[in-house]
Amino acid sequence: GAVVSQHPSWVICKSGTSVKIECRSLDFQATTMFWYRQFPKQSLMLMATSNEGSKATYEQGVEKDKFLINHASLTLSTLTVTSAHPEDSSFYICSARTGVDTQYFGPGTRLTVL
Amino acid sequence: GNSVTQMEGPVTLSEEAFLTINCTYTATGYPSLFWYVQYPGEGLQLLLKATKADDKGSNKGFEATYRKETTSFHLEKGSVQVSDSAVYFCALIRGRGQNFVFGPGTRLSVLP
């Protein structure tokens, strides 16, 4: 099946710094990618839909100025957590859509903000 | 709105036991239904899916039947293995351009 990678797989940063997470589709092109957040022992919550060449669509309650999304190519979307705080610590997962009901998920990035 | 409800976990079973994880959904129209599995430290992987009523999805010994009359998509496996230990997510997608809606997940632990 299609492969989606994320980098880094885990990151620890100091409060107030910014962190960039990359999501790549390795063997296919994806015009649409999604970013999810998963709290411990909870389900995935959709944060935003990333469309290649256009602005991301954010879900209600997600701060677009804090979670910057860039989808500059058909194989790469990035999520930048700006001025990170401990409450931003979470597991961030991206996915890439290849069909109407088909998404492939990345392995996730665990962010810890000290 | 659309939502997915799953049985609360964790579920702990002995190897070769029968597994059922209940899933019910609320959605308008005719959603497609999915089960995803998340192994420790990994992302989600599609386990099986069904796109219309009475369809049965199956994979790796797991199966689930799309029951529109009861709005359910229960996951079953006749004989679980230790390697099946993971978190299982039921999900739906309502149609073209729509996003996935995930249930809360059910953690399964299989003991040898």
Side-chain angles (χ1 to χ4, degrees), chain A residues 34 36 38 41-44 46 49 59 91 93 97 100-108, chain B residues 32 34 36 38 41-44 49 51 89 93 95-100 102-104 107:
Chain A
F34 301 91
Y36 295 86
Q38 185 181 26
K41 299 184 179 181
Q42 295 188 31
S43 188
L44 281 73
L46 179 66
T49 302
E59 295 300 298
F91 196 54
I93 299 175
R97 182 162 68 193
V100 173
D101 63 0
T102 303
Q103 289 186 28
Y104 291 93
F105 289 82
Chain B
S32 294
F34 304 79
Y36 279 86
Q38 185 179 32
E42 299 183 15
L44 273 69
K49 70 177 184 180
T51 58
F89 293 92
I93 190 167
R96 182 178 293 277
Q98 299 296 313
N99 300 314
F100 276 90
F102 287 91
R107 183 175 300 275

Side-chain angles (χ1 to χ4, degrees), chain B residues 24-25 39 41 43 51 57 62 83 102-103 105-107:
Chain B
T24 57
Y25 68 90
Y39 297 102
T51 58
F62 291 90
S83 57
F102 287 91
T106 301
R107 183 175 300 275

Side-chain angles (χ1 to χ4, degrees), chain A residues 1-4 25-34 74 95-105, chain B residues 36 46 49 96 100:
Chain A
V3 178
V4 174
S25 56
L26 297 185
D27 50 1
F28 65 100
Q29 295 181 331
T31 56
T32 303
M33 293 184 174
F34 301 91
L74 289 172
S95 70
R97 182 162 68 193
T98 61
V100 173
D101 63 0
T102 303
Q103 289 186 28
Y104 291 93
F105 289 82
Chain B
Y36 279 86
L46 177 64
K49 70 177 184 180
R96 182 178 293 277
F100 276 90

Side-chain angles (χ1 to χ4, degrees), chain A residues 17-106:
Chain A
T17 61
S18 295
V19 175
K20 180 185 284 188
I21 302 170
E22 294 185 348
C23 176
R24 292 181 185 273
S25 56
L26 297 185
D27 50 1
F28 65 100
Q29 295 181 331
T31 56
T32 303
M33 293 184 174
F34 301 91
W35 286 96
Y36 295 86
R37 184 173 180 177
Q38 185 181 26
F39 290 102
K41 299 184 179 181
Q42 295 188 31
S43 188
L44 281 73
M45 298 300 296
L46 179 66
M47 298 176 65
T49 302
S50 171
N51 298 298
E52 187 269 336
S54 64
K55 292 182 178 180
T57 303
Y58 291 82
E59 295 300 298
Q60 191 173 7
V62 178
E63 299 177 59
K64 63 181 181 181
D65 295 330
K66 181 169 186 61
F67 298 99
L68 301 179
I69 292 173
N70 185 284
H71 194 158
S73 78
L74 289 172
T75 59
L76 174 64
S77 176
T78 61
L79 168 68
T80 301
V81 183
T82 63
S83 186
H85 288 93
E87 58 265 30
D88 298 324
S89 298
S90 192
F91 196 54
Y92 293 88
I93 299 175
C94 73
S95 70
R97 182 162 68 193
T98 61
V100 173
D101 63 0
T102 303
Q103 289 186 28
Y104 291 93
F105 289 82

Side-chain angles (χ1 to χ4, degrees), chain B residues 29-104:
Chain B
Y30 302 90
S32 294
L33 303 175
F34 304 79
W35 277 100
Y36 279 86
V37 58
Q38 185 179 32
Y39 297 102
E42 299 183 15
L44 273 69
Q45 300 174 26
L46 177 64
L47 182 60
L48 53 83
K49 70 177 184 180
T51 58
K52 61 182 186 294
D54 299 326
D55 267 4
K56 177 185 286 188
S58 62
N59 186 25
K60 299 180 181 179
F62 291 90
E63 58 182 35
T65 302
Y66 189 144
R67 301 288 188 197
K68 184 163 173 51
E69 63 276 13
T70 54
T71 62
S72 65
F73 193 54
H74 304 322
L75 182 68
E76 296 182 336
K77 186 174 185 181
S79 176
V80 293
Q81 305 300 312
V82 173
S83 57
D84 294 327
S85 299
V87 180
Y88 292 82
F89 293 92
C90 186
L92 68 82
I93 190 167
R94 199 165 57 80
R96 182 178 293 277
Q98 299 296 313
N99 300 314
F100 276 90
V101 175
F102 287 91

